[in-house]
Amino acid sequence: MSGDGTAIKVISVLGNDYSIKVPEGKDADLTASALLLKRLLAETKAQSPTLIGERLLVLTALKLCARQVELEQRHRQEIERIEGAVSARVADIAGLIRQA
């Protein structure tokens, strides 16, 4: 552990080791992220067996980014839906207050 609350953790991806600074308490997140990456790399490799190295990493990264974009869009839609419901409730309450 360094003085700034980070530790160095080594993960291995496609036979290469990477030393990564990890904030205190985030070891499990990095481990889960590395396992997800390895699983997705294996899935991409199974779908495109001729891909190796950097090309495999780039295609996998693009798939991850596509998932992230989709999740962000769904999240935005859900926020809009909730905001609409809250606005409707506020309008209902305001109407009840005016009637009282």
Coordinates of all heavy atoms in Angstrom, one line a residue:
M1 N 0.9 -1.2 0.0 CA 0.0 0.0 0.0 C 0.9 1.2 0.0 O 1.8 1.3 0.8 CB -0.9 0.0 1.2 CG -1.9 1.1 1.4 SD -3.3 1.0 0.3 CE -4.1 -0.5 0.8
S2 N 0.6 2.2 -0.9 CA 1.4 3.4 -0.9 C 0.8 4.4 0.0 O -0.3 4.2 0.5 CB 1.5 3.9 -2.4 OG 0.2 4.3 -2.8
G3 N 1.4 5.5 0.2 CA 1.0 6.6 1.1 C -0.3 7.2 0.6 O -1.0 7.9 1.4
D4 N -0.7 7.1 -0.6 CA -1.9 7.8 -1.1 C -3.1 6.9 -1.1 O -4.2 7.2 -1.7 CB -1.6 8.3 -2.5 CG -1.4 7.2 -3.6 OD1 -1.3 6.0 -3.2 OD2 -1.2 7.5 -4.8
G5 N -3.1 5.8 -0.4 CA -4.3 4.9 -0.3 C -4.5 4.0 -1.4 O -5.6 3.5 -1.6
T6 N -3.5 3.8 -2.3 CA -3.6 2.9 -3.4 C -2.6 1.7 -3.2 O -1.6 1.8 -2.5 CB -3.3 3.6 -4.7 OG1 -2.0 4.1 -4.7 CG2 -4.3 4.7 -5.0
A7 N -2.9 0.6 -3.9 CA -2.0 -0.5 -3.9 C -1.8 -0.9 -5.3 O -2.5 -0.5 -6.2 CB -2.7 -1.7 -3.2
I8 N -0.8 -1.6 -5.6 CA -0.5 -2.1 -6.9 C -0.9 -3.6 -7.0 O -0.6 -4.4 -6.2 CB 1.0 -2.0 -7.3 CG1 1.5 -0.6 -7.1 CG2 1.3 -2.5 -8.7 CD1 1.0 0.4 -8.0
K9 N -1.8 -3.8 -8.0 CA -2.2 -5.2 -8.2 C -1.9 -5.6 -9.7 O -1.9 -4.8 -10.6 CB -3.8 -5.3 -8.1 CG -4.3 -6.7 -8.2 CD -5.6 -6.8 -7.5 CE -6.1 -8.2 -7.7 NZ -7.1 -8.7 -6.8
V10 N -1.4 -6.8 -9.8 CA -1.0 -7.3 -11.1 C -2.1 -8.2 -11.7 O -2.6 -9.1 -11.0 CB 0.3 -8.1 -11.0 CG1 0.7 -8.7 -12.4 CG2 1.4 -7.2 -10.5
I11 N -2.6 -7.9 -12.9 CA -3.5 -8.8 -13.6 C -2.9 -9.2 -14.9 O -2.1 -8.6 -15.4 CB -4.9 -8.1 -13.8 CG1 -4.7 -6.9 -14.8 CG2 -5.6 -7.7 -12.6 CD1 -6.0 -6.4 -15.3
S12 N -3.3 -10.4 -15.3 CA -2.8 -11.0 -16.5 C -3.9 -11.0 -17.6 O -5.0 -11.6 -17.3 CB -2.2 -12.4 -16.2 OG -1.7 -12.9 -17.4
V13 N -3.6 -10.5 -18.7 CA -4.6 -10.5 -19.8 C -3.9 -10.9 -21.1 O -2.9 -10.3 -21.5 CB -5.3 -9.1 -20.0 CG1 -6.2 -9.1 -21.2 CG2 -6.0 -8.7 -18.8
L14 N -4.3 -12.0 -21.7 CA -3.7 -12.5 -22.9 C -2.2 -12.7 -22.8 O -1.4 -12.4 -23.7 CB -4.0 -11.6 -24.1 CG -5.5 -11.4 -24.5 CD1 -5.6 -10.4 -25.7 CD2 -6.1 -12.7 -24.9
G15 N -1.9 -13.2 -21.6 CA -0.5 -13.6 -21.4 C 0.5 -12.4 -21.0 O 1.6 -12.6 -20.8
N16 N -0.1 -11.2 -20.9 CA 0.7 -10.1 -20.5 C 0.2 -9.7 -19.1 O -0.9 -9.6 -18.8 CB 0.5 -8.9 -21.5 CG 1.1 -9.2 -22.8 OD1 2.2 -9.7 -23.0 ND2 0.3 -9.0 -23.8
D17 N 1.2 -9.3 -18.3 CA 0.9 -8.8 -16.9 C 0.9 -7.3 -16.9 O 1.7 -6.6 -17.6 CB 2.0 -9.3 -15.9 CG 1.9 -10.8 -15.6 OD1 0.9 -11.4 -15.9 OD2 3.0 -11.3 -15.2
Y18 N -0.1 -6.8 -16.2 CA -0.3 -5.4 -16.1 C -0.4 -5.0 -14.6 O -1.2 -5.6 -13.8 CB -1.6 -4.9 -16.8 CG -1.6 -5.2 -18.2 CD1 -2.1 -6.4 -18.7 CD2 -1.1 -4.3 -19.1 CE1 -2.1 -6.7 -20.1 CE2 -1.1 -4.6 -20.5 CZ -1.6 -5.8 -21.0 OH -1.6 -6.1 -22.3
S19 N 0.5 -4.0 -14.2 CA 0.5 -3.5 -12.8 C -0.5 -2.3 -12.8 O -0.3 -1.4 -13.5 CB 1.9 -3.1 -12.4 OG 2.7 -4.2 -12.4
I20 N -1.5 -2.4 -11.9 CA -2.5 -1.4 -11.9 C -2.6 -0.9 -10.5 O -2.7 -1.6 -9.5 CB -3.8 -2.0 -12.4 CG1 -3.7 -2.5 -13.8 CG2 -5.0 -1.0 -12.3 CD1 -4.9 -3.2 -14.4
K21 N -2.7 0.5 -10.4 CA -2.9 1.1 -9.1 C -4.4 0.9 -8.7 O -5.3 1.2 -9.6 CB -2.6 2.6 -9.1 CG -1.1 2.9 -9.1 CD -0.9 4.4 -8.9 CE 0.5 4.8 -8.9 NZ 0.7 6.2 -8.7
V22 N -4.6 0.5 -7.5 CA -6.0 0.2 -7.1 C -6.3 1.0 -5.8 O -5.6 0.8 -4.8 CB -6.2 -1.3 -6.8 CG1 -7.7 -1.6 -6.5 CG2 -5.8 -2.1 -8.0
P23 N -7.3 1.9 -5.8 CA -7.6 2.6 -4.6 C -8.0 1.6 -3.5 O -8.5 0.5 -3.8 CB -8.9 3.4 -5.0 CG -8.8 3.5 -6.5 CD -8.1 2.3 -7.0
E24 N -7.8 2.0 -2.3 CA -8.1 1.2 -1.1 C -9.6 0.7 -1.2 O -10.5 1.6 -1.5 CB -7.9 2.0 0.1 CG -8.0 1.2 1.4 CD -7.6 1.9 2.6 OE1 -6.9 3.0 2.5 OE2 -8.0 1.5 3.7
G25 N -9.8 -0.5 -1.0 CA -11.2 -1.1 -1.0 C -11.7 -1.4 -2.4 O -12.9 -1.8 -2.5
K26 N -10.9 -1.3 -3.4 CA -11.4 -1.5 -4.8 C -10.8 -2.8 -5.4 O -11.0 -3.0 -6.6 CB -11.2 -0.3 -5.7 CG -11.9 0.9 -5.3 CD -13.4 0.7 -5.5 CE -14.2 1.9 -5.1 NZ -15.6 1.7 -5.4
D27 N -10.1 -3.6 -4.6 CA -9.4 -4.8 -5.1 C -10.5 -5.7 -5.8 O -10.2 -6.2 -6.9 CB -8.7 -5.5 -4.0 CG -7.4 -4.9 -3.7 OD1 -7.1 -3.8 -4.1 OD2 -6.6 -5.6 -2.9
A28 N -11.6 -5.9 -5.1 CA -12.6 -6.8 -5.6 C -13.2 -6.3 -6.9 O -13.5 -7.1 -7.8 CB -13.7 -7.0 -4.6
D29 N -13.3 -5.0 -7.1 CA -13.9 -4.4 -8.3 C -12.9 -4.7 -9.5 O -13.3 -5.1 -10.6 CB -14.1 -2.9 -8.2 CG -15.2 -2.6 -7.2 OD1 -16.0 -3.5 -6.9 OD2 -15.3 -1.4 -6.8
L30 N -11.6 -4.5 -9.2 CA -10.6 -4.8 -10.3 C -10.6 -6.3 -10.6 O -10.6 -6.6 -11.8 CB -9.2 -4.3 -9.8 CG -8.1 -4.6 -10.9 CD1 -8.4 -3.9 -12.2 CD2 -6.8 -4.3 -10.3
T31 N -10.7 -7.1 -9.6 CA -10.7 -8.6 -9.9 C -11.9 -8.9 -10.7 O -11.8 -9.7 -11.7 CB -10.7 -9.3 -8.6 OG1 -9.5 -9.0 -7.9 CG2 -10.7 -10.8 -8.8
A32 N -13.1 -8.4 -10.3 CA -14.3 -8.7 -11.1 C -14.2 -8.1 -12.5 O -14.6 -8.8 -13.5 CB -15.5 -8.1 -10.4
S33 N -13.6 -7.0 -12.7 CA -13.4 -6.4 -14.0 C -12.5 -7.2 -14.9 O -12.8 -7.5 -16.0 CB -12.9 -5.0 -13.9 OG -13.8 -4.1 -13.2
A34 N -11.4 -7.7 -14.3 CA -10.5 -8.5 -15.0 C -11.1 -9.8 -15.4 O -10.9 -10.3 -16.6 CB -9.2 -8.8 -14.2
L35 N -11.9 -10.4 -14.5 CA -12.6 -11.7 -14.9 C -13.6 -11.5 -16.0 O -13.7 -12.3 -16.9 CB -13.3 -12.3 -13.6 CG -12.3 -12.8 -12.6 CD1 -13.1 -13.2 -11.3 CD2 -11.5 -14.0 -13.1
L36 N -14.3 -10.4 -15.9 CA -15.3 -10.0 -17.0 C -14.6 -9.9 -18.3 O -15.0 -10.4 -19.4 CB -16.1 -8.8 -16.7 CG -17.0 -8.3 -17.7 CD1 -18.1 -9.3 -18.1 CD2 -17.7 -6.9 -17.3
L37 N -13.5 -9.1 -18.3 CA -12.7 -8.9 -19.5 C -12.2 -10.3 -20.1 O -12.4 -10.5 -21.3 CB -11.5 -8.0 -19.3 CG -10.6 -7.8 -20.5 CD1 -11.4 -7.2 -21.7 CD2 -9.4 -6.9 -20.1
K38 N -11.7 -11.1 -19.3 CA -11.2 -12.4 -19.7 C -12.3 -13.3 -20.3 O -12.2 -13.9 -21.3 CB -10.5 -13.2 -18.6 CG -9.2 -12.5 -18.2 CD -8.6 -13.2 -17.0 CE -7.3 -12.5 -16.6 NZ -6.7 -13.2 -15.4
R39 N -13.5 -13.2 -19.7 CA -14.7 -14.0 -20.2 C -15.1 -13.4 -21.5 O -15.4 -14.2 -22.5 CB -15.8 -13.9 -19.2 CG -17.0 -14.7 -19.6 CD -18.1 -14.7 -18.5 NE -18.5 -13.3 -18.2 CZ -19.6 -12.7 -18.6 NH1 -20.4 -13.3 -19.4 NH2 -19.8 -11.5 -18.3
L40 N -15.1 -12.1 -21.7 CA -15.6 -11.5 -22.9 C -14.5 -11.7 -24.0 O -14.9 -11.9 -25.2 CB -15.8 -10.0 -22.8 CG -17.1 -9.7 -21.9 CD1 -17.2 -8.2 -21.6 CD2 -18.3 -10.2 -22.5
L41 N -13.3 -11.7 -23.7 CA -12.2 -12.1 -24.6 C -12.4 -13.5 -25.1 O -12.3 -13.7 -26.3 CB -10.8 -11.9 -24.0 CG -10.3 -10.5 -23.9 CD1 -9.1 -10.4 -22.9 CD2 -9.9 -9.9 -25.2
A42 N -12.7 -14.4 -24.2 CA -12.9 -15.8 -24.6 C -14.1 -15.9 -25.5 O -14.1 -16.7 -26.5 CB -13.1 -16.7 -23.4
E43 N -15.2 -15.2 -25.2 CA -16.4 -15.2 -26.1 C -16.1 -14.6 -27.4 O -16.5 -15.2 -28.5 CB -17.5 -14.4 -25.4 CG -18.2 -15.0 -24.2 CD -19.2 -14.1 -23.5 OE1 -19.6 -13.1 -24.1 OE2 -19.6 -14.4 -22.4
T44 N -15.4 -13.5 -27.5 CA -15.0 -12.9 -28.8 C -14.1 -13.9 -29.6 O -14.3 -14.0 -30.8 CB -14.3 -11.6 -28.6 OG1 -15.2 -10.7 -27.8 CG2 -14.0 -10.9 -29.9
K45 N -13.2 -14.5 -28.9 CA -12.3 -15.5 -29.6 C -13.1 -16.6 -30.1 O -12.8 -17.1 -31.2 CB -11.2 -15.9 -28.6 CG -10.2 -16.8 -29.2 CD -9.3 -16.1 -30.1 CE -8.2 -17.0 -30.6 NZ -7.4 -16.4 -31.6
A46 N -14.1 -17.1 -29.4 CA -14.9 -18.2 -29.9 C -15.7 -17.8 -31.1 O -15.9 -18.6 -32.0 CB -15.8 -18.7 -28.7
Q47 N -16.1 -16.6 -31.1 CA -16.9 -16.1 -32.3 C -16.0 -15.7 -33.5 O -16.5 -15.8 -34.6 CB -17.7 -14.8 -31.9 CG -18.8 -15.1 -30.9 CD -19.4 -13.8 -30.3 OE1 -18.9 -12.7 -30.5 NE2 -20.4 -14.0 -29.5
S48 N -14.8 -15.3 -33.2 CA -13.9 -14.9 -34.3 C -12.5 -15.6 -34.0 O -11.6 -14.9 -33.5 CB -13.7 -13.4 -34.3 OG -15.0 -12.8 -34.5
P49 N -12.4 -16.9 -34.2 CA -11.2 -17.6 -33.8 C -9.9 -17.1 -34.5 O -8.8 -17.4 -33.9 CB -11.5 -19.0 -34.2 CG -12.8 -19.1 -34.9 CD -13.4 -17.7 -34.8
T50 N -10.0 -16.4 -35.5 CA -8.7 -16.0 -36.2 C -8.1 -14.7 -35.6 O -7.0 -14.3 -35.9 CB -8.9 -15.7 -37.7 OG1 -10.0 -14.7 -37.9 CG2 -9.4 -17.0 -38.4
L51 N -8.9 -14.0 -34.7 CA -8.4 -12.8 -34.1 C -7.4 -13.1 -33.0 O -7.6 -14.1 -32.2 CB -9.6 -12.0 -33.5 CG -10.5 -11.3 -34.4 CD1 -11.6 -10.6 -33.7 CD2 -9.8 -10.3 -35.3
I52 N -6.4 -12.3 -32.9 CA -5.4 -12.5 -31.9 C -4.9 -11.1 -31.4 O -5.1 -10.1 -32.1 CB -4.2 -13.3 -32.3 CG1 -3.5 -12.7 -33.6 CG2 -4.5 -14.7 -32.6 CD1 -2.2 -13.3 -33.9
G53 N -4.3 -11.1 -30.3 CA -3.7 -9.9 -29.8 C -4.5 -8.6 -29.8 O -5.7 -8.6 -29.3
E54 N -3.9 -7.6 -30.3 CA -4.6 -6.3 -30.3 C -5.9 -6.2 -31.0 O -6.9 -5.6 -30.5 CB -3.6 -5.2 -31.0 CG -4.1 -3.8 -30.9 CD -3.1 -2.9 -31.6 OE1 -2.0 -2.8 -31.1 OE2 -3.6 -2.2 -32.5
R55 N -6.1 -6.9 -32.1 CA -7.4 -7.0 -32.8 C -8.5 -7.6 -31.9 O -9.6 -7.1 -31.9 CB -7.3 -7.7 -34.1 CG -6.5 -7.0 -35.1 CD -6.4 -7.7 -36.5 NE -5.6 -7.1 -37.4 CZ -6.0 -6.1 -38.2 NH1 -7.2 -5.6 -38.2 NH2 -5.1 -5.5 -39.1
L56 N -8.1 -8.7 -31.2 CA -9.0 -9.3 -30.3 C -9.4 -8.3 -29.2 O -10.6 -8.2 -28.8 CB -8.4 -10.6 -29.7 CG -9.2 -11.4 -28.7 CD1 -10.6 -11.8 -29.3 CD2 -8.4 -12.5 -28.2
L57 N -8.4 -7.6 -28.6 CA -8.7 -6.7 -27.6 C -9.6 -5.5 -28.1 O -10.5 -5.1 -27.4 CB -7.4 -6.1 -27.0 CG -6.6 -6.9 -26.0 CD1 -5.2 -6.4 -25.8 CD2 -7.4 -7.1 -24.7
V58 N -9.3 -5.0 -29.2 CA -10.1 -3.9 -29.8 C -11.5 -4.3 -30.0 O -12.5 -3.6 -29.6 CB -9.5 -3.3 -31.1 CG1 -10.4 -2.3 -31.8 CG2 -8.1 -2.6 -30.7
L59 N -11.8 -5.5 -30.6 CA -13.1 -5.9 -30.9 C -13.9 -6.1 -29.6 O -15.0 -5.7 -29.4 CB -13.1 -7.2 -31.7 CG -14.5 -7.7 -32.1 CD1 -15.3 -6.7 -32.9 CD2 -14.4 -9.0 -32.9
T60 N -13.2 -6.7 -28.6 CA -13.8 -6.9 -27.3 C -14.1 -5.6 -26.6 O -15.2 -5.4 -26.0 CB -12.9 -7.8 -26.4 OG1 -12.7 -9.0 -27.0 CG2 -13.5 -8.0 -25.0
A61 N -13.2 -4.6 -26.7 CA -13.4 -3.3 -26.1 C -14.6 -2.6 -26.8 O -15.5 -2.0 -26.1 CB -12.2 -2.4 -26.3
L62 N -14.8 -2.8 -28.1 CA -15.9 -2.2 -28.8 C -17.2 -2.8 -28.4 O -18.2 -2.1 -28.2 CB -15.7 -2.4 -30.3 CG -14.7 -1.4 -31.0 CD1 -14.5 -1.8 -32.4 CD2 -15.2 0.0 -30.9
K63 N -17.2 -4.1 -28.1 CA -18.4 -4.8 -27.6 C -18.8 -4.3 -26.2 O -19.9 -4.0 -25.9 CB -18.2 -6.3 -27.6 CG -18.2 -7.0 -28.9 CD -18.0 -8.5 -28.8 CE -18.1 -9.1 -30.2 NZ -18.0 -10.6 -30.1
L64 N -17.7 -4.1 -25.4 CA -18.0 -3.5 -24.1 C -18.5 -2.1 -24.1 O -19.5 -1.7 -23.4 CB -16.7 -3.5 -23.2 CG -16.3 -4.8 -22.6 CD1 -14.9 -4.8 -22.0 CD2 -17.3 -5.2 -21.5
C65 N -18.0 -1.3 -25.0 CA -18.5 0.1 -25.2 C -19.9 0.1 -25.7 O -20.7 0.9 -25.3 CB -17.5 0.8 -26.2 SG -15.9 1.2 -25.5
A66 N -20.2 -0.8 -26.6 CA -21.6 -0.9 -27.1 C -22.6 -1.3 -26.0 O -23.7 -0.7 -25.9 CB -21.7 -2.0 -28.2
R67 N -22.2 -2.2 -25.1 CA -23.0 -2.5 -24.0 C -23.2 -1.3 -23.1 O -24.2 -1.0 -22.5 CB -22.4 -3.6 -23.1 CG -22.5 -5.0 -23.8 CD -21.9 -6.0 -22.9 NE -21.9 -7.4 -23.5 CZ -21.5 -8.5 -22.9 NH1 -21.0 -8.4 -21.7 NH2 -21.5 -9.6 -23.6
Q68 N -22.1 -0.6 -22.8 CA -22.1 0.6 -22.0 C -23.1 1.7 -22.6 O -23.9 2.3 -21.9 CB -20.7 1.2 -21.8 CG -20.7 2.4 -20.9 CD -21.0 2.2 -19.5 OE1 -20.9 1.1 -19.0 NE2 -21.6 3.2 -18.8
V69 N -23.0 1.9 -23.9 CA -23.8 2.9 -24.5 C -25.3 2.5 -24.4 O -26.2 3.3 -24.0 CB -23.5 3.0 -26.0 CG1 -24.5 3.8 -26.8 CG2 -22.1 3.7 -26.2
E70 N -25.6 1.2 -24.6 CA -27.0 0.7 -24.4 C -27.5 0.9 -23.0 O -28.6 1.3 -22.8 CB -27.0 -0.8 -24.8 CG -28.4 -1.4 -24.7 CD -28.4 -2.9 -25.0 OE1 -27.5 -3.4 -25.7 OE2 -29.3 -3.6 -24.4
L71 N -26.6 0.6 -22.0 CA -27.0 0.7 -20.6 C -27.2 2.2 -20.3 O -28.2 2.6 -19.6 CB -25.9 0.2 -19.7 CG -25.8 -1.3 -19.6 CD1 -24.6 -1.7 -18.8 CD2 -27.1 -1.9 -19.0
E72 N -26.4 3.1 -20.8 CA -26.6 4.5 -20.6 C -27.9 5.0 -21.2 O -28.6 5.8 -20.6 CB -25.4 5.3 -21.1 CG -24.1 5.2 -20.3 CD -22.9 5.8 -21.0 OE1 -23.0 6.5 -22.0 OE2 -21.8 5.7 -20.4
Q73 N -28.2 4.5 -22.4 CA -29.5 4.9 -23.0 C -30.7 4.4 -22.2 O -31.6 5.2 -22.0 CB -29.6 4.4 -24.4 CG -28.6 5.1 -25.4 CD -28.5 4.4 -26.7 OE1 -29.0 3.2 -26.9 NE2 -28.0 5.1 -27.7
R74 N -30.6 3.2 -21.7 CA -31.7 2.7 -20.9 C -31.8 3.4 -19.6 O -32.9 3.7 -19.1 CB -31.5 1.2 -20.6 CG -31.9 0.3 -21.7 CD -32.1 -1.1 -21.2 NE -30.9 -1.9 -21.7 CZ -30.5 -3.0 -21.2 NH1 -31.1 -3.6 -20.2 NH2 -29.5 -3.6 -21.7
H75 N -30.7 3.8 -19.0 CA -30.7 4.5 -17.8 C -31.3 5.9 -18.0 O -32.1 6.3 -17.2 CB -29.2 4.7 -17.3 CG -29.1 5.4 -16.0 ND1 -29.4 4.9 -14.8 CD2 -28.6 6.7 -15.7 CE1 -29.2 5.7 -13.8 NE2 -28.7 6.8 -14.4
R76 N -30.9 6.6 -19.1 CA -31.5 7.9 -19.4 C -33.0 7.8 -19.6 O -33.8 8.6 -19.1 CB -30.9 8.4 -20.7 CG -30.5 9.9 -20.6 CD -29.8 10.4 -21.8 NE -29.3 9.5 -22.9 CZ -28.1 9.0 -23.0 NH1 -27.2 9.2 -22.1 NH2 -27.8 8.2 -24.0
Q77 N -33.5 6.7 -20.3 CA -34.9 6.5 -20.5 C -35.6 6.3 -19.2 O -36.7 6.8 -18.9 CB -35.2 5.4 -21.4 CG -34.8 5.7 -22.9 CD -34.8 4.4 -23.7 OE1 -34.8 3.3 -23.3 NE2 -34.6 4.6 -25.1
E78 N -35.0 5.5 -18.3 CA -35.6 5.2 -17.0 C -35.7 6.5 -16.1 O -36.7 6.7 -15.5 CB -34.8 4.1 -16.3 CG -35.4 3.7 -15.0 CD -36.7 2.9 -15.1 OE1 -37.1 2.6 -16.3 OE2 -37.4 2.7 -14.1
I79 N -34.7 7.3 -16.2 CA -34.7 8.6 -15.4 C -35.8 9.5 -16.0 O -36.6 10.1 -15.2 CB -33.3 9.3 -15.5 CG1 -32.3 8.6 -14.7 CG2 -33.4 10.8 -15.1 CD1 -30.9 9.1 -14.8
E80 N -35.9 9.5 -17.3 CA -37.0 10.4 -17.9 C -38.4 9.8 -17.5 O -39.3 10.6 -17.2 CB -36.9 10.4 -19.4 CG -35.7 11.2 -19.9 CD -35.4 11.0 -21.4 OE1 -36.2 10.3 -22.1 OE2 -34.4 11.6 -21.9
R81 N -38.5 8.5 -17.4 CA -39.8 7.9 -17.0 C -40.1 8.3 -15.6 O -41.2 8.7 -15.2 CB -39.8 6.4 -17.2 CG -41.1 5.7 -16.9 CD -41.0 4.2 -16.8 NE -40.2 3.7 -15.7 CZ -40.6 3.7 -14.4 NH1 -41.8 4.1 -14.1 NH2 -39.8 3.2 -13.5
I82 N -39.1 8.1 -14.7 CA -39.3 8.4 -13.3 C -39.6 9.9 -13.1 O -40.5 10.3 -12.3 CB -38.1 8.0 -12.5 CG1 -38.0 6.5 -12.5 CG2 -38.1 8.5 -11.1 CD1 -36.7 5.9 -11.9
E83 N -38.8 10.8 -13.8 CA -39.1 12.2 -13.7 C -40.5 12.6 -14.1 O -41.2 13.4 -13.5 CB -38.1 13.0 -14.5 CG -36.7 13.0 -13.9 CD -35.6 13.7 -14.8 OE1 -35.9 13.9 -16.0 OE2 -34.6 14.1 -14.3
G84 N -41.0 11.9 -15.2 CA -42.3 12.2 -15.6 C -43.4 11.7 -14.6 O -44.3 12.4 -14.3
A85 N -43.1 10.6 -14.0 CA -44.0 10.1 -12.9 C -44.0 11.0 -11.7 O -45.1 11.3 -11.1 CB -43.7 8.7 -12.5
V86 N -42.8 11.5 -11.3 CA -42.7 12.4 -10.2 C -43.4 13.7 -10.5 O -44.2 14.3 -9.7 CB -41.3 12.6 -9.8 CG1 -41.1 13.8 -8.8 CG2 -40.6 11.4 -9.2
S87 N -43.2 14.2 -11.7 CA -43.9 15.5 -12.1 C -45.4 15.3 -12.1 O -46.1 16.3 -11.6 CB -43.4 15.9 -13.5 OG -42.1 16.3 -13.5
A88 N -45.9 14.2 -12.5 CA -47.3 14.0 -12.5 C -47.9 13.9 -11.1 O -48.9 14.5 -10.8 CB -47.7 12.7 -13.2
R89 N -47.1 13.3 -10.2 CA -47.5 13.2 -8.8 C -47.5 14.6 -8.1 O -48.4 15.0 -7.4 CB -46.6 12.3 -8.0 CG -46.7 10.9 -8.4 CD -48.0 10.2 -7.9 NE -48.1 8.9 -8.4 CZ -49.0 8.4 -9.2 NH1 -50.0 9.1 -9.6 NH2 -49.0 7.1 -9.5
V90 N -46.5 15.4 -8.4 CA -46.4 16.7 -7.9 C -47.6 17.6 -8.4 O -48.2 18.3 -7.6 CB -45.0 17.4 -8.3 CG1 -45.0 18.9 -8.0 CG2 -43.9 16.7 -7.6
A91 N -47.9 17.4 -9.7 CA -49.1 18.1 -10.2 C -50.4 17.7 -9.5 O -51.2 18.5 -9.2 CB -49.2 17.9 -11.7
D92 N -50.5 16.4 -9.3 CA -51.7 15.9 -8.5 C -51.7 16.5 -7.1 O -52.8 16.9 -6.7 CB -51.6 14.3 -8.4 CG -51.8 13.6 -9.7 OD1 -52.3 14.3 -10.7 OD2 -51.5 12.4 -9.8
I93 N -50.6 16.5 -6.5 CA -50.6 17.0 -5.1 C -50.9 18.5 -5.1 O -51.7 19.0 -4.3 CB -49.2 16.7 -4.4 CG1 -49.1 15.2 -4.2 CG2 -49.0 17.5 -3.1 CD1 -47.7 14.8 -3.8
A94 N -50.3 19.2 -6.1 CA -50.6 20.7 -6.2 C -52.1 20.9 -6.4 O -52.7 21.9 -5.8 CB -49.7 21.3 -7.3
G95 N -52.7 20.1 -7.2 CA -54.1 20.2 -7.5 C -54.9 20.0 -6.3 O -55.9 20.7 -6.0
L96 N -54.5 19.0 -5.5 CA -55.2 18.7 -4.2 C -55.1 19.8 -3.2 O -56.1 20.2 -2.5 CB -54.7 17.4 -3.6 CG -55.1 16.1 -4.4 CD1 -54.3 14.9 -3.8 CD2 -56.6 15.9 -4.4
I97 N -53.9 20.4 -3.2 CA -53.7 21.5 -2.3 C -54.5 22.7 -2.7 O -55.1 23.4 -1.8 CB -52.2 21.9 -2.2 CG1 -51.4 20.8 -1.5 CG2 -52.0 23.2 -1.5 CD1 -49.9 20.9 -1.6
R98 N -54.6 23.0 -4.0 CA -55.5 24.1 -4.4 C -56.9 23.9 -4.1 O -57.7 24.8 -3.8 CB -55.3 24.3 -5.9 CG -54.0 25.0 -6.3 CD -54.0 25.4 -7.8 NE -54.1 24.3 -8.7 CZ -53.0 23.6 -9.2 NH1 -51.8 24.0 -8.8 NH2 -53.1 22.7 -10.0
Q99 N -57.4 22.7 -4.1 CA -58.8 22.3 -3.8 C -59.1 22.4 -2.4 O -60.3 22.6 -2.0 CB -59.1 20.9 -4.3 CG -59.1 20.8 -5.8 CD -59.4 19.3 -6.2 OE1 -59.6 18.5 -5.4 NE2 -59.4 19.1 -7.6
A100 N -58.1 22.3 -1.5 CA -58.3 22.3 -0.1 C -58.6 23.6 0.5 O -58.5 24.7 0.0 CB -57.1 21.7 0.6

